[in-house]
Amino acid sequence: MWKYPDAYDVIVIGGGHAGCEAAFAAARRGASTLLLTMNLDTIGKMSCNPAVGGIAKGHMVREIDALGGEMGKCTDATGIQFRMLNATKGPAVQAPRAQSDKFAYQNEMKHRIEQQPLLDTKQGTIEDIVVENGKFVAVDTLEGIRYYGKTLILSAGTFMRGLLHIGETNYSGGRAGDKPSVGLSACLERLGFKLGRLKTGTPPRVNKRSIDFSQTEEQKGDEGVRFSFDEEAPFPKLPQVSCYITYTSADTKKVVLDNIHRSPMYSGKIQGVGPRYCPSIEDKMKRFSDKERHQIFLEPEGLDTQEMYVNGISSSLPFDVQFALIHTIPGLEKAEVMRPAYAIEYDYVTSGQIGLSLETKLIEGIFLAGQINGTSGYEEAAGQGMMAGINAVNRVRGLEPFILKRSEAYIGVMIDDLVRLGLEEPYRMFTSRAEHRLLLRQDNADLRLRGYGHDLGLIDDQRFKRLQYKKQTIAHETERLKKTHRPYDGKSVSLAQLLCRPEFSYKKLLEHFSDSVVDHGSDINMQIELSLKYAGYIDRQNVEISKLDHLEKIRIESNCNFKIIKGLRTEAAEMLAKIQPINLAQASRLSGVSPADISVLMVHLKRKN
């Protein structure tokens, strides 16, 4: 192996969404960083749907932006349709989603990566990881180059021993058109990591010119939706387009069920477990056989391509069956299939082998981020990548890990889940996973997290000053409206009380009391309105969080021998030893650990201290 002359603080493997955010975070904190990927032309590639955000996922993209990440900004720059999902529902479940131009997104992300100071990008396929005395030292590539580094972030996506399935046909690949990574899996097993197999899939793409849109429902975007909290004009930057809705038919169901024995998922060829919440068309027809039809979204992949993403019919059926079922869908009777659907199996590192910092328990200096941890989705990967990049730098500098609590961010919920839960399928984020989702809204991610971004060196002083002004304005106006009384319906009421009424909004308040209400812009206006309307619920959740704060502060030493603690049940001791929680709060959330076990553990720790 030829030794590369420069050594790095952080080496990131993989140029997907996790790898990009990890590299940005590390370099922006002043660490010399190398992004090493199999193909420089696929940095930031959107392998599946060219869409960002959605329920809970949109929350995480805004959290990434609040901390100083790039996904939200890149989406704003390349989005061709923006929507606010659940706009008529409560604020906790509203979420931004954007359809991006896949080529524009990829090119934009690659450009931003290449412009980032302290970040080198190189093409290479990792074949081996050099470890000495339980610590990461270097990586060796297929090209015969050894790169030395202090820390390593693995974000390999679906490439580890990737195997693609289309009916009876299967072949190796990281995704359609790309080679798999074979050496990395073997290397991790040799180092002692336990690997499992998961499965995901993608639907076919059809030619836009061959679609009869008269049989579909047009779905236009919403105005004023964006991801980044930073003011960047003009917006939107690209022309906006529509998506379209259609449905499966009775003939679709018949084609699928008549040929389901040819699906590798049902014939036994696929061993990996697929995502329950993003089922294939085969699963939909089997598991929901009582449903007459299933919704399908026709989504453009870009402004300069005719490819349309057929969202809702992910499949691993043979191509002749896909060809037949596509033509049973209204509007797609004459559709030209440009790319077939396929399923892909890949290796991942099974649960219990990383800590909350995303550093592996087995080897110091190695961090895991993205689908290698069993997650599914661009947004989940990007959130992990950012946290891995931050904590790799902390490891280099000898600092404590940066860990977000479940009460602070969806990113914190996700990582806590990954560490303590045994995954049986690819992990996907939902608002229902968060106990305090009214506090973790997409609209207040900057108020929750931007201060952390500034402390970490990822948010500059100018942006932080804007945040401080916003916080101060919200606090001041909220109190002022409580003290400002005006006659309404024959009696004197405070403007805050009026705003709490269902029929009142801040906009209506401005119209009725222009002499007493100030227009601070839509963003601040909304925060004032929500803080008053939901004050009771927010206070209740804050009380619940404060009750758990004392458990967060009771630390558990990393070398704690749980098996010798008297009164601790065997099942609890085994789970605690496997996960190695860092505090009592995390321990209390583990499966098999009861409140009685937590009491025993608390007494033990107090005695020891």
Side-chain angles (χ1 to χ4, degrees):
M1 286 286 169
W2 181 71
K3 298 177 181 179
Y4 192 77
D6 295 330
Y8 294 91
D9 292 322
V10 181
I11 297 176
V12 180
I13 303 299
H17 304 283
C20 287
E21 293 295 350
F24 276 127
R28 286 171 177 171
R29 296 194 68 203
S32 58
T33 307
L34 168 65
L35 177 61
L36 188 63
T37 183
M38 294 170 67
N39 186 350
L40 290 178
D41 294 330
T42 57
I43 288 175
K45 184 172 183 177
M46 306 181 99
S47 306
C48 198
N49 190 356
V52 171
I55 306 303
K57 292 169 174 280
H59 292 66
M60 284 197 291
V61 178
R62 300 212 92 195
E63 289 176 352
I64 291 165
D65 184 78
L67 286 167
E70 208 64 24
M71 178 175 264
K73 293 179 177 60
C74 195
T75 302
D76 285 348
T78 61
I80 54 178
Q81 190 200 70
F82 293 84
R83 294 182 63 217
M84 183 61 72
L85 305 186
N86 289 337
T88 59
K89 296 184 179 180
V93 294
Q94 294 177 13
R97 182 185 188 272
Q99 195 73 17
S100 281
D101 183 308
K102 68 176 182 181
F103 300 114
Y105 185 97
Q106 184 176 330
N107 291 336
E108 181 72 20
M109 187 62 80
K110 185 172 188 285
H111 172 73
R112 291 171 183 238
I113 284 283
E114 291 177 345
Q115 297 300 309
Q116 176 62 45
L118 293 176
L119 175 57
D120 291 348
T121 53
K122 300 192 185 302
Q123 186 163 297
T125 302
I126 184 171
E127 282 290 292
D128 200 6
I129 299 171
V130 182
V131 174
E132 294 177 2
N133 301 318
K135 295 183 179 181
F136 167 72
V137 173
V139 292
D140 292 340
T141 68
L142 184 66
E143 294 78 11
I145 305 169
R146 173 169 290 184
Y147 294 98
Y148 284 89
K150 296 176 183 176
T151 56
L152 173 69
I153 299 172
L154 292 175
S155 53
T158 60
F159 282 74
M160 286 168 50
R161 284 200 287 239
L163 186 65
L164 279 68
H165 295 267
I166 305 175
E168 296 88 351
T169 302
N170 60 67
Y171 57 95
S172 295
R175 59 187 164 217
D178 292 319
K179 296 185 298 181
S181 172
V182 178
L184 182 54
S185 287
C187 170
L188 290 174
E189 287 176 326
R190 190 168 62 252
L191 290 171
F193 290 97
K194 296 175 183 177
L195 305 183
R197 295 285 276 178
L198 290 176
K199 185 224 86 167
T200 189
T202 189
R205 275 66 156 179
V206 300
N207 194 316
K208 183 178 181 179
R209 293 178 301 172
S210 64
I211 299 173
D212 179 4
F213 288 105
S214 67
Q215 298 190 61
T216 67
E217 304 167 24
E218 185 177 11
Q219 184 185 56
K220 294 184 177 181
D222 299 325
E223 293 184 5
V225 178
R226 66 194 308 168
F227 283 93
S228 180
F229 289 98
D230 300 316
E231 299 168 8
E232 294 180 12
F235 183 82
K237 295 187 177 182
L238 295 181
Q240 300 298 285
V241 300
S242 293
C243 294
Y244 300 86
I245 299 172
T246 184
Y247 298 87
T248 61
S249 65
D251 289 337
T252 312
K253 185 175 182 179
K254 186 177 187 308
V255 169
V256 172
L257 294 180
D258 285 351
N259 293 277
I260 202 162
H261 62 283
R262 299 178 65 193
S263 167
M265 287 193 303
Y266 286 87
S267 66
K269 283 190 175 182
I270 290 181
Q271 302 299 316
V273 181
R276 184 181 5 151
Y277 300 105
C278 189
S280 65
I281 192 66
E282 299 98 293
D283 275 342
K284 286 180 181 179
M285 295 305 180
K286 285 286 283 187
R287 287 165 47 193
F288 311 106
S289 57
D290 57 322
K291 286 198 72 172
E292 292 185 8
R293 62 180 190 171
H294 296 271
Q295 195 172 52
I296 291 171
F297 295 90
L298 304 176
E299 300 170 331
E301 296 224 325
L303 298 175
D304 300 319
T305 177
Q306 291 296 312
E307 285 189 79
M308 297 286 283
Y309 184 94
V310 188
N311 193 342
I313 56 169
S314 172
S315 179
S316 60
L317 285 162
F319 184 66
D320 62 295
V321 182
Q322 294 183 35
F323 188 83
L325 78 85
I326 278 283
H327 295 144
T328 66
I329 297 169
L332 302 183
E333 293 90 346
K334 297 181 180 180
E336 175 197 344
V337 181
M338 301 177 74
R339 302 190 199 212
Y342 64 87
I344 181 169
E345 281 187 287
Y346 55 94
D347 288 345
Y348 80 107
V349 175
T350 56
S351 302
Q353 300 181 75
I354 56 170
L356 289 172
S357 68
L358 298 180
E359 187 173 17
T360 64
K361 298 173 182 178
L362 189 62
I363 298 171
E364 184 181 310
I366 295 183
F367 295 76
L368 307 182
Q371 286 174 294
I372 195 171
N373 284 330
T375 58
S376 171
Y378 306 150
E379 303 83 0
E380 288 89 342
Q384 292 171 71
M386 178 159 221
M387 296 300 286
I390 289 169
N391 282 318
V393 176
N394 278 10
R395 165 60 73 183
V396 170
R397 295 175 179 171
L399 303 175
E400 286 290 308
F402 173 64
I403 295 168
L404 289 169
K405 300 175 187 175
R406 294 180 70 91
S407 58
E408 291 180 311
Y410 273 92
I411 293 173
V413 173
M414 171 181 63
I415 294 176
D416 183 61
D417 283 350
L418 292 177
V419 170
R420 68 186 177 86
L421 299 177
L423 296 181
E424 297 180 355
E425 62 184 342
Y427 178 94
R428 182 178 179 178
M429 179 51 74
F430 295 99
T431 52
S432 59
R433 293 191 188 273
E435 308 92 305
H436 311 293
R437 55 183 175 271
L438 186 55
L439 300 180
L440 307 184
R441 305 187 309 273
Q442 57 82 26
D443 58 80
N444 69 355
D446 59 334
L447 300 173
R448 291 186 277 121
L449 302 176
R450 185 138 280 195
Y452 286 135
H454 182 256
D455 292 342
L456 291 164
L458 298 170
I459 295 294
D460 59 33
D461 290 341
Q462 183 179 359
R463 286 185 286 171
F464 185 59
K465 285 178 182 176
R466 284 208 302 267
L467 172 74
Q468 289 176 308
Y469 170 78
K470 181 177 178 180
K471 281 186 172 182
Q472 290 163 2
T473 303
I474 294 167
H476 177 267
E477 285 297 279
T478 301
E479 289 305 310
R480 191 180 67 80
L481 291 176
K482 290 178 182 178
K483 298 172 183 176
T484 305
H485 289 70
R486 292 290 180 271
Y488 190 79
D489 283 347
K491 56 183 178 181
S492 177
V493 294
S494 74
L495 295 182
Q497 287 174 312
L498 277 180
L499 192 53
C500 288
R501 295 185 181 185
E503 70 273 16
F504 260 92
S505 64
Y506 199 91
K507 182 179 179 182
K508 189 174 180 180
L509 212 62
L510 274 169
E511 293 170 356
H512 281 68
F513 305 100
S514 58
D515 60 327
S516 305
V517 182
V518 181
D519 185 356
H520 296 283
S522 59
D523 189 13
I524 292 178
N525 292 351
M526 178 173 61
Q527 293 306 317
I528 296 169
E529 178 178 338
L530 293 177
S531 66
L532 287 169
K533 274 189 183 294
Y534 295 94
Y537 299 102
I538 291 170
D539 290 344
R540 197 177 307 158
Q541 290 201 354
N542 280 324
V543 169
E544 292 171 3
I545 292 167
S546 65
K547 288 178 180 177
L548 293 172
D549 271 353
H550 72 287
L551 293 181
E552 297 273 0
K553 294 171 183 174
I554 301 176
R555 308 281 293 182
I556 302 173
E557 64 271 26
S558 58
N559 60 347
C560 182
N561 186 353
F562 298 100
K563 293 180 181 179
I564 65 168
I565 299 176
K566 291 181 180 180
L568 201 60
R569 293 176 309 117
T570 303
E571 180 188 2
E574 288 176 351
M575 179 57 73
L576 290 164
K578 177 185 176 183
I579 301 300
Q580 290 289 324
I582 62 170
N583 56 45
L584 274 187
Q586 190 194 3
S588 70
R589 293 189 291 267
L590 297 179
S591 175
V593 179
S594 69
D597 295 318
I598 293 300
S599 296
V600 170
L601 186 54
M602 185 185 295
V603 170
H604 168 79
L605 293 172
K606 285 183 177 178
R607 282 176 180 167
K608 192 162 186 180
N609 291 334

